[in-house]
Amino acid sequence: MEFSNWTTAQEFIFSAFPCSWGESVTCFIPLLFIYAFIIVGNLVIITVVQLNVHLHTPMYFFISALSFLEIWYTTATIPKMLSSLLSERRSITLNGCVLQMYFFHSTGISEVCLLTAMAFDRYLAICSPLHYPTIMTSRLCAQLTLGCCVCGFLTPLPEIAWISTLPFCGSNNLEHIFCDFLPVLRLACTDTHTIVMIQVVDIIHAVEIITAVMLIFMSYVGIVAVILRIRSAEGRRKAFSTCVSHLTVFLLFFGSVALMYLRFSATYSLFWDTAIALAFAVLSPFFNPIIYSLRNKEIKEAIKKHIGQASILIGKSGNQP
């Protein structure tokens, strides 16, 4: 089959959004609120960690790094979703689509790597508490975070480079709410090579997800084994409480990601495709600031302290003549 005889589509039309104006506005308002909450919530976590010296520990360093990635992870897709909901022509250029896929997956993979590093951090803190301060130094934390970002931004490059060379003919209706590998690949001019590459992409995603899950699982096996050997119930509770937030975020994020990228030949309806995509692209980042702030005593106390200080300063400035 000759690619040179095909015309390439220069833009895609998102066809998974509601058709009526009323339904679009109904979806726009909560999505705007969620996006604003994600940005503000993560900025608050980053600021609080930076301003409080007692939070300058490896665990909070990784939490603030995760918050930073979450901001860019959601910014890769949600602003375009919001504009599409209010637009008559819900289109994205081919180049824009490729860039959106790249930044969405690069920041997402960086988060996966960082969650794995955070599991390693919790393993060292609980299983080797005496050696933990000398092993998990600020330099190692920075190196691990940088390594996660390098891995995240390099891993999707071959797939993105290959997709950018494909010809797209026929329908340009993208049955999704943002650009993602499989929905875009379905619009490529089908031949045996493309079908094989779709299967290769599935395998790559499976290896990435399963590797991260296995590393995190092994870390928690070691953590649970140590916690069970602690004699007092209070000691076990305190040890496990340091892992609850990370474990919750891990299950929430990886659960929805696995449903989307570990299905291989299985297909879902457009409704379930959209629901699963919203789960890991919108809802998981929405809950992360809540999990890391409301379930974390130190961050809650730091936020309350800074709110109290801000209130005092505002009160003083208001009383000045």
Side-chain angles (χ1 to χ4, degrees):
M1 192 174 288
E2 293 294 330
F3 286 179
S4 58
N5 293 332
W6 293 339
T7 57
T8 302
Q10 294 303 308
E11 66 175 11
F12 298 117
I13 309 296
F14 295 113
S15 60
F17 289 104
C19 296
S20 71
W21 173 254
E23 290 177 345
S24 295
V25 172
T26 303
C27 294
F28 175 86
I29 294 171
L31 185 59
L32 179 63
F33 168 78
I34 289 171
Y35 181 58
F37 180 84
I38 290 169
I39 300 299
V40 173
N42 283 301
L43 285 175
V44 166
I45 290 173
I46 293 168
T47 305
V48 166
V49 170
Q50 291 299 314
L51 291 178
N52 291 270
V53 177
H54 71 282
L55 296 181
H56 291 181
T57 63
M59 183 175 77
Y60 292 108
F61 176 85
F62 287 129
I63 287 174
S64 59
L66 183 67
S67 293
F68 179 78
L69 285 173
E70 289 275 58
I71 291 171
W72 295 108
Y73 174 73
T74 51
T75 300
T77 56
I78 296 181
K80 185 60 183 176
M81 290 187 213
L82 290 169
S83 66
S84 295
L85 283 167
L86 297 183
S87 302
E88 290 185 10
R89 187 170 178 80
R90 292 151 177 180
S91 62
I92 185 169
T93 64
L94 179 58
N95 290 335
C97 189
V98 170
L99 283 173
Q100 186 181 68
M101 281 191 292
Y102 174 67
F103 284 108
F104 178 70
H105 281 275
S106 59
T107 51
I109 294 169
S110 298
E111 282 192 31
V112 168
C113 295
L114 192 59
L115 286 169
T116 308
M118 291 169 77
F120 174 66
D121 170 67
R122 291 299 84 209
Y123 173 81
L124 283 178
I126 293 172
C127 299
S128 300
L130 297 178
H131 298 98
Y132 177 72
T134 57
I135 296 173
M136 193 58 71
T137 60
S138 57
R139 182 178 179 179
L140 180 59
C141 291
Q143 289 173 340
L144 285 172
T145 303
L146 180 61
C148 290
C149 293
V150 170
C151 177
F153 280 81
L154 289 181
T155 301
L157 273 178
E159 295 169 88
I160 294 295
W162 168 66
I163 290 173
S164 65
T165 64
L166 291 176
F168 295 91
C169 52
S171 174
N172 65 344
N173 287 325
L174 189 67
E175 293 189 337
H176 209 46
I177 51 176
F178 56 85
C179 291
D180 204 358
F181 288 134
L182 292 182
V184 170
L185 285 172
R186 292 191 191 109
L187 298 181
C189 301
T190 307
D191 67 348
T192 306
H193 175 70
T194 303
I195 294 170
V196 170
M197 286 305 296
I198 289 174
Q199 294 171 342
V200 170
V201 168
D202 282 341
I203 293 170
I204 291 170
H205 290 157
V207 170
E208 291 168 354
I209 296 166
I210 293 171
T211 300
V213 169
M214 289 303 297
L215 289 172
I216 293 172
F217 176 76
M218 287 188 291
S219 296
Y220 274 102
V221 167
I223 289 169
V224 170
V226 170
I227 289 175
L228 291 177
R229 289 201 296 268
I230 299 174
R231 293 184 179 181
S232 68
E234 180 65 17
R236 289 194 296 269
R237 188 192 65 78
K238 285 183 178 179
F240 189 70
S241 65
T242 63
C243 306
V244 170
S245 296
H246 174 266
L247 191 58
T248 305
V249 170
F250 160 70
L251 292 173
L252 185 65
F253 183 69
F254 276 81
S256 53
V257 166
L259 283 174
M260 178 61 76
Y261 297 111
L262 292 182
R263 52 176 159 175
F264 297 102
S265 59
T267 56
Y268 303 137
S269 66
L270 180 59
F271 171 81
W272 285 112
D273 259 346
T274 305
I276 295 168
L278 285 172
F280 69 81
V282 177
L283 293 182
S284 178
F286 171 72
F287 285 117
N288 286 356
I290 299 172
I291 293 167
Y292 279 121
S293 58
L294 295 183
R295 291 193 60 87
N296 191 296
K297 184 179 178 181
E298 290 182 304
I299 288 184
K300 278 195 295 184
E301 289 177 352
I303 292 172
K304 287 178 183 177
K305 183 186 79 172
H306 289 295
I307 291 173
Q309 290 173 344
S311 300
I312 292 169
L313 289 172
I314 291 169
K316 286 182 178 179
S317 62
N319 293 330
Q320 289 179 355

